[in-house]
Amino acid sequence: FDLRGFAGSGSAVYLDDVRLNDPRNNAVSLETVPIDAVERVEIVRGSAAAVAGAGAEAGIVRIVTRRGTEPALSFVAASGSEGRTRWGAEAGGRAAGFDAFASVSYDDTDGFRENAGGRSTRLAASAGRELAAGRLELSLASTDQRWGNPGALTLDEWESDPSAAPYNRLDRSSTDARVAALRWRGAGTEKFSYAASLGFRDAASEVLSTGRA
């Protein structure tokens, strides 16, 4: 994505105060964010390198996940063309100063071309406790993705068979990501507040690209 003219690499992206940018090139895989668990997205425009470090010249994008509120449980299931299926579930609640929320979703598709299918599994959970001195909360997120990479076609190949992948039938990519955040937000006063967070992120990706003969 672009922010203030920077093509992705100039923004610092956080999920519950854990930075998602790849330390090698500052890239971000937003598809790993468990979208069903997102409560809001906050954007701070302008250079924030002094606060967030290198790679924040365009600004900061802060993704905040949902908390448990009123007791609720929901399910969703859907299907469509090209073998597309999706199901998901959410549950949450709050009682006696404690709240919890969890969501899971699974997407699967055959794709509109050979080797264009894939699947994605996203899980997220959070728990919080309101105390007299502030709020303590823990959030977890996990993503597992497997996708085929059918590659590009020439105009003649497209006109002959737009669903084919004659040179990239084995190409694929996979991504696994885990994020955990433990946060404390003090009650403070009208003019002063304080917060502390401890985060963990682990991500691994593999790509097989055979190219064209």
Side-chain angles (χ1 to χ4, degrees):
F1 64 95
D2 292 349
L3 182 62
R4 297 182 63 243
F6 288 81
S9 61
S11 303
V13 181
Y14 291 85
L15 177 64
D16 287 340
D17 296 338
V18 178
R19 187 161 178 170
L20 301 182
N21 300 76
D22 190 315
R24 298 169 298 178
N25 54 18
N26 209 46
V28 179
S29 298
L30 291 178
E31 64 272 14
T32 63
V33 175
I35 190 66
D36 293 335
V38 173
E39 178 183 85
R40 66 183 187 275
V41 178
E42 301 173 352
I43 299 177
V44 179
R45 299 177 181 272
S47 179
V51 177
E57 294 82 5
I60 296 175
V61 177
R62 183 169 178 261
I63 304 171
V64 181
T65 56
R66 296 164 63 182
R67 300 180 183 177
T69 53
E70 298 301 321
L73 176 64
S74 64
F75 300 91
V76 62
S79 64
S81 60
E82 297 161 352
R84 175 70 185 270
T85 59
R86 186 179 196 276
W87 63 264
E90 298 177 4
R94 179 174 58 188
F98 177 83
D99 60 79
F101 175 84
S103 71
V104 57
S105 66
Y106 176 81
D107 293 89
D108 190 10
T109 180
D110 294 334
F112 73 100
R113 293 179 56 194
E114 296 180 27
N115 194 36
R119 60 178 175 81
S120 174
T121 304
R122 300 182 179 94
L123 302 98
S126 67
R129 175 70 173 175
E130 298 289 348
L131 303 170
R135 174 178 172 82
L136 180 66
E137 55 188 11
L138 172 68
S139 61
L140 307 170
S142 174
T143 300
D144 177 8
Q145 298 185 332
R146 303 290 184 271
W147 299 105
N149 296 328
L153 296 175
T154 65
L155 180 58
D156 290 340
E157 291 168 344
W158 175 266
E159 292 176 343
S160 175
D161 185 1
S163 66
Y167 298 99
N168 305 87
R169 294 174 181 172
L170 300 178
D171 291 11
R172 62 183 184 274
S173 64
S174 64
T175 302
D176 297 288
R178 311 288 182 263
V179 175
L182 179 64
R183 296 176 291 171
W184 167 261
R185 301 188 183 280
T189 65
E190 294 182 357
K191 297 182 179 180
F192 174 79
S193 63
Y194 60 94
S197 63
L198 179 65
F200 168 83
R201 174 181 177 270
D202 179 58
S205 61
E206 294 183 357
V207 177
L208 173 62
S209 180
T210 59
R212 297 178 66 95

